Amino acid sequence: MLLENPNSSLMETPSLEEDAVHTSPSDSGESAPIIDIEGVDFHYGKSKALSDITLAIPEKQVTAFIGPSGCGKSTLLRCLNRMNDLIEGAQISKGVIRILGTDIYDPTVDPIELRKHVGMVFQKSNPFPKTIYDNVAYGLRVGGLTDKHGLDEIVERSLRSAALWDETKDRLKDNAMGLSGGQQQRLCIARAIAVQPKIILMDEPCSALDPIATMRIEKLISELKSDYTIVIVTHNMQQASRVSDRTALFYLGELVEEGTTEQIFQNPDKKETEDYISGRFG
Amino acid sequence: MAVPEHPFATKATALHKQESAIRVFLRAATYFILCCAAFIFLDIFLKGAPVVFQANFPFVNFDFLTKSPETLVVYQDGEGEIQQQSANQFEAMREAHPDGQYDIIGSYSYSAGGVLGPLIGTAFLVMICMTVALSIGVASAIFLSEYSRGGRTIRGIRLAILNLAGVPSIVFGLFGLGFFCYAVPNIVAEPAGRSLFHFQLPFSNSYLSLEGWDACMLAGGCTLALMILPVIITACEESLRAVPMGFREGSLALGATKWQTIRKAVLPYAFPGILTASILGITRVAGETAPIMFTAAVAHKDKLPWQDLESSGLGRLFEFFFQKVQALPYHIYTVAAKIPQSDYNKPMQYGSVFIFMMLVFAFASFSILLRIQFRKKLKW
């Protein structure tokens, strides 16, 4: 039935799904990594932005990327849904990124299909100047869903998941630009959820928000992790410690340390990590 | 003169004098422009408005707007009074009263009647021009701003666009003559000898010949389109660039293709800019004389473009677009420079220019209003 799996049309990406069966170690302990980054070097033209990053991101957990500005954490995030394809001269020069077992830079991978599985929420909330409804329905419509009833259903469900339904149910036909900053950002989350991705990437989603709006988004993130794998880039270490299960610290394009958030914040292996966490630099 | 007793008092040094002189000069240069504009507009208004408007009901001289240019006949009637009539009216009157006495003092071409023909002609030229220019211009702007990725070729293209904008309009006119009038493919029953290439191919029962379209509305519209193209491309590109990158990223991140992104998340928000630029483009092409001089315009034409078409069906459409037309700027050029000057053709000269200025003014205001309207509606 359409309503039960309204995104069935979006999910038809044989390369991703089938290869996953072949290569993912499906029953290795707790949760196999959904994203597997292996020895990745990344260049913007001639300047190297990431070097030799190896990182596994487990399914249905929140992984935080922290580190000072320019350390490459956003770059790595944008590699995961190939948003860096838009930037001229930007490319992965070495290494592999596998999502669900598939090398996402393989020539047979269509970045458009990939992005339907790997959604993204940006630093600056960027709702389209359309109605709230149209914003949430955007991804479904470009995916080919036109059934009014099905759209209504998913729009409501997505807005509910993003904890925005109660505030917006009476003004779905209003322009999204009229929402407050925090509401706009939650709308962007709702918009990303609507296409039912497996992974949601968040690039400093709260950096432009006040503490109360930030708190709501953080609460939302903890609710969403039961259904989605979330990777969040943040400047704010308290935020990382509040929302994430795992944390990876980046510095000057290198992965300094990664592990469970508890371990990173309370008992880091490396001195740099401790210095950064305790605020001695950065 | 008492110098005030504090350290900041103005000192009449050379530097101080220079400062004041420079200030006066800069101000004068600026106000000079204002004076020129005011003089031109006032002159046209004072002499042109009485031709188009009148003091008594219905206040607008509709004859001027609903008739095409005719020859003005000035004569002395039986009572020795000097009268003015258009050639047609004069002939009709002479037929009605053959025994009357008419001493013709002079006849002045294009000085009676009105500007309907040129107005209509210009309207069609502008429509053809904008259709061609917008479809090519918007397409190339989208390519340049959204699809292309720098590189030497693209830099070359941009340079070409810049240069195209600087080409004098008479050169476009000559190019249009050589290209659209004498070289582009045309389907004709009998190939004319004017082709630059003398290439012809039998095509059903006529010929496909590289002989061009001759001077006609279509050739003129296309020539104007070429001329306005750089302006349209640049304006469209700027409007596209003004759309925040976040809209494109947001759309792509939701799995939209590039074209879906452009169509749904970029073009709608660039549209106001494209529209206002196009309207301003209209006022520019509407006023161009040089590009249509050889390619489309005629000074005299009795019929409006849609009157008395001979063919039927598709041929009618061809005949319509393949005819020469009158055009307002060319009409102004004709009455101002091509006919003997006298006081009798002043009303036509000033009236035509006045009408044209009003049109430009109306389009420009409309464009500004639209922009204000869209700015209110679209905010991000």
Side-chain angles (χ1 to χ4, degrees), chain B residues 81-93:
Chain B
E81 298 219 2
I82 291 177
Q83 301 279 359
Q84 300 182 23
Q85 290 274 313
S86 77
N88 290 345
Q89 285 169 330
F90 182 71
E91 285 307 318
M93 194 177 64

PDB file of all heavy atoms in Angstrom, chain B residues 81-93:
ATOM      1  N   GLU B  81      -8.434  81.454 -47.000  1.00  0.00           N
ATOM      2  CA  GLU B  81      -7.856  80.985 -45.743  1.00  0.00           C
ATOM      3  C   GLU B  81      -6.965  79.781 -45.997  1.00  0.00           C
ATOM      4  O   GLU B  81      -7.266  78.931 -46.833  1.00  0.00           O
ATOM      5  CB  GLU B  81      -8.973  80.594 -44.769  1.00  0.00           C
ATOM      6  CG  GLU B  81      -9.849  81.766 -44.429  1.00  0.00           C
ATOM      7  CD  GLU B  81     -10.259  81.758 -42.975  1.00  0.00           C
ATOM      8  OE1 GLU B  81      -9.813  80.849 -42.246  1.00  0.00           O
ATOM      9  OE2 GLU B  81     -11.008  82.656 -42.586  1.00  0.00           O
ATOM     10  N   ILE B  82      -5.916  79.691 -45.216  1.00  0.00           N
ATOM     11  CA  ILE B  82      -5.007  78.555 -45.384  1.00  0.00           C
ATOM     12  C   ILE B  82      -5.524  77.373 -44.570  1.00  0.00           C
ATOM     13  O   ILE B  82      -5.819  77.499 -43.386  1.00  0.00           O
ATOM     14  CB  ILE B  82      -3.583  78.952 -44.945  1.00  0.00           C
ATOM     15  CG1 ILE B  82      -3.047  79.959 -45.960  1.00  0.00           C
ATOM     16  CG2 ILE B  82      -2.685  77.732 -44.863  1.00  0.00           C
ATOM     17  CD1 ILE B  82      -1.696  80.502 -45.651  1.00  0.00           C
ATOM     18  N   GLN B  83      -5.709  76.234 -45.216  1.00  0.00           N
ATOM     19  CA  GLN B  83      -6.238  75.041 -44.562  1.00  0.00           C
ATOM     20  C   GLN B  83      -5.232  73.902 -44.642  1.00  0.00           C
ATOM     21  O   GLN B  83      -4.427  73.851 -45.581  1.00  0.00           O
ATOM     22  CB  GLN B  83      -7.535  74.594 -45.260  1.00  0.00           C
ATOM     23  CG  GLN B  83      -8.631  75.621 -45.271  1.00  0.00           C
ATOM     24  CD  GLN B  83      -9.387  75.656 -43.957  1.00  0.00           C
ATOM     25  OE1 GLN B  83      -9.087  74.887 -43.051  1.00  0.00           O
ATOM     26  NE2 GLN B  83     -10.351  76.575 -43.846  1.00  0.00           N
ATOM     27  N   GLN B  84      -5.326  72.972 -43.666  1.00  0.00           N
ATOM     28  CA  GLN B  84      -4.492  71.770 -43.722  1.00  0.00           C
ATOM     29  C   GLN B  84      -5.389  70.536 -43.752  1.00  0.00           C
ATOM     30  O   GLN B  84      -6.355  70.462 -43.009  1.00  0.00           O
ATOM     31  CB  GLN B  84      -3.603  71.669 -42.470  1.00  0.00           C
ATOM     32  CG  GLN B  84      -2.677  72.842 -42.306  1.00  0.00           C
ATOM     33  CD  GLN B  84      -1.796  72.666 -41.085  1.00  0.00           C
ATOM     34  OE1 GLN B  84      -1.575  71.548 -40.629  1.00  0.00           O
ATOM     35  NE2 GLN B  84      -1.295  73.761 -40.562  1.00  0.00           N
ATOM     36  N   GLN B  85      -5.073  69.625 -44.611  1.00  0.00           N
ATOM     37  CA  GLN B  85      -5.843  68.385 -44.692  1.00  0.00           C
ATOM     38  C   GLN B  85      -4.880  67.259 -45.013  1.00  0.00           C
ATOM     39  O   GLN B  85      -3.865  67.479 -45.685  1.00  0.00           O
ATOM     40  CB  GLN B  85      -6.867  68.479 -45.839  1.00  0.00           C
ATOM     41  CG  GLN B  85      -8.021  69.434 -45.599  1.00  0.00           C
ATOM     42  CD  GLN B  85      -9.138  68.750 -44.859  1.00  0.00           C
ATOM     43  OE1 GLN B  85      -9.530  67.658 -45.219  1.00  0.00           O
ATOM     44  NE2 GLN B  85      -9.657  69.386 -43.823  1.00  0.00           N
ATOM     45  N   SER B  86      -5.235  66.039 -44.587  1.00  0.00           N
ATOM     46  CA  SER B  86      -4.421  64.924 -45.042  1.00  0.00           C
ATOM     47  C   SER B  86      -4.770  64.664 -46.503  1.00  0.00           C
ATOM     48  O   SER B  86      -5.860  65.024 -46.964  1.00  0.00           O
ATOM     49  CB  SER B  86      -4.698  63.693 -44.194  1.00  0.00           C
ATOM     50  OG  SER B  86      -5.912  63.114 -44.587  1.00  0.00           O
ATOM     51  N   ALA B  87      -3.886  64.049 -47.223  1.00  0.00           N
ATOM     52  CA  ALA B  87      -4.065  63.861 -48.655  1.00  0.00           C
ATOM     53  C   ALA B  87      -5.388  63.171 -48.967  1.00  0.00           C
ATOM     54  O   ALA B  87      -6.111  63.565 -49.891  1.00  0.00           O
ATOM     55  CB  ALA B  87      -2.902  63.057 -49.224  1.00  0.00           C
ATOM     56  N   ASN B  88      -5.737  62.149 -48.184  1.00  0.00           N
ATOM     57  CA  ASN B  88      -6.981  61.420 -48.440  1.00  0.00           C
ATOM     58  C   ASN B  88      -8.198  62.313 -48.284  1.00  0.00           C
ATOM     59  O   ASN B  88      -9.094  62.329 -49.122  1.00  0.00           O
ATOM     60  CB  ASN B  88      -7.098  60.224 -47.497  1.00  0.00           C
ATOM     61  CG  ASN B  88      -6.100  59.162 -47.857  1.00  0.00           C
ATOM     62  OD1 ASN B  88      -5.532  59.193 -48.957  1.00  0.00           O
ATOM     63  ND2 ASN B  88      -5.857  58.246 -46.934  1.00  0.00           N
ATOM     64  N   GLN B  89      -8.196  63.037 -47.163  1.00  0.00           N
ATOM     65  CA  GLN B  89      -9.337  63.922 -46.910  1.00  0.00           C
ATOM     66  C   GLN B  89      -9.423  64.971 -48.001  1.00  0.00           C
ATOM     67  O   GLN B  89     -10.501  65.321 -48.478  1.00  0.00           O
ATOM     68  CB  GLN B  89      -9.172  64.611 -45.548  1.00  0.00           C
ATOM     69  CG  GLN B  89      -9.441  63.709 -44.378  1.00  0.00           C
ATOM     70  CD  GLN B  89      -9.019  64.346 -43.071  1.00  0.00           C
ATOM     71  OE1 GLN B  89      -8.081  65.146 -43.033  1.00  0.00           O
ATOM     72  NE2 GLN B  89      -9.727  64.017 -42.016  1.00  0.00           N
ATOM     73  N   PHE B  90      -8.274  65.465 -48.420  1.00  0.00           N
ATOM     74  CA  PHE B  90      -8.236  66.504 -49.428  1.00  0.00           C
ATOM     75  C   PHE B  90      -8.820  65.990 -50.740  1.00  0.00           C
ATOM     76  O   PHE B  90      -9.680  66.631 -51.362  1.00  0.00           O
ATOM     77  CB  PHE B  90      -6.788  66.963 -49.623  1.00  0.00           C
ATOM     78  CG  PHE B  90      -6.654  68.068 -50.614  1.00  0.00           C
ATOM     79  CD1 PHE B  90      -7.103  69.349 -50.313  1.00  0.00           C
ATOM     80  CD2 PHE B  90      -6.078  67.835 -51.855  1.00  0.00           C
ATOM     81  CE1 PHE B  90      -6.981  70.364 -51.233  1.00  0.00           C
ATOM     82  CE2 PHE B  90      -5.954  68.857 -52.771  1.00  0.00           C
ATOM     83  CZ  PHE B  90      -6.403  70.134 -52.467  1.00  0.00           C
ATOM     84  N   GLU B  91      -8.419  64.774 -51.130  1.00  0.00           N
ATOM     85  CA  GLU B  91      -8.936  64.184 -52.363  1.00  0.00           C
ATOM     86  C   GLU B  91     -10.439  64.007 -52.272  1.00  0.00           C
ATOM     87  O   GLU B  91     -11.186  64.346 -53.198  1.00  0.00           O
ATOM     88  CB  GLU B  91      -8.269  62.828 -52.631  1.00  0.00           C
ATOM     89  CG  GLU B  91      -6.845  62.919 -53.147  1.00  0.00           C
ATOM     90  CD  GLU B  91      -6.725  63.815 -54.373  1.00  0.00           C
ATOM     91  OE1 GLU B  91      -7.612  63.735 -55.265  1.00  0.00           O
ATOM     92  OE2 GLU B  91      -5.768  64.616 -54.435  1.00  0.00           O
ATOM     93  N   ALA B  92     -10.887  63.477 -51.122  1.00  0.00           N
ATOM     94  CA  ALA B  92     -12.316  63.232 -50.945  1.00  0.00           C
ATOM     95  C   ALA B  92     -13.087  64.536 -51.054  1.00  0.00           C
ATOM     96  O   ALA B  92     -14.161  64.611 -51.682  1.00  0.00           O
ATOM     97  CB  ALA B  92     -12.556  62.576 -49.577  1.00  0.00           C
ATOM     98  N   MET B  93     -12.537  65.564 -50.466  1.00  0.00           N
ATOM     99  CA  MET B  93     -13.236  66.852 -50.467  1.00  0.00           C
ATOM    100  C   MET B  93     -13.289  67.410 -51.892  1.00  0.00           C
ATOM    101  O   MET B  93     -14.290  67.945 -52.333  1.00  0.00           O
ATOM    102  CB  MET B  93     -12.504  67.810 -49.534  1.00  0.00           C
ATOM    103  CG  MET B  93     -13.295  69.035 -49.186  1.00  0.00           C
ATOM    104  SD  MET B  93     -12.358  70.013 -48.014  1.00  0.00           S
ATOM    105  CE  MET B  93     -10.973  70.425 -49.010  1.00  0.00           C
TER     106      MET B  93
END
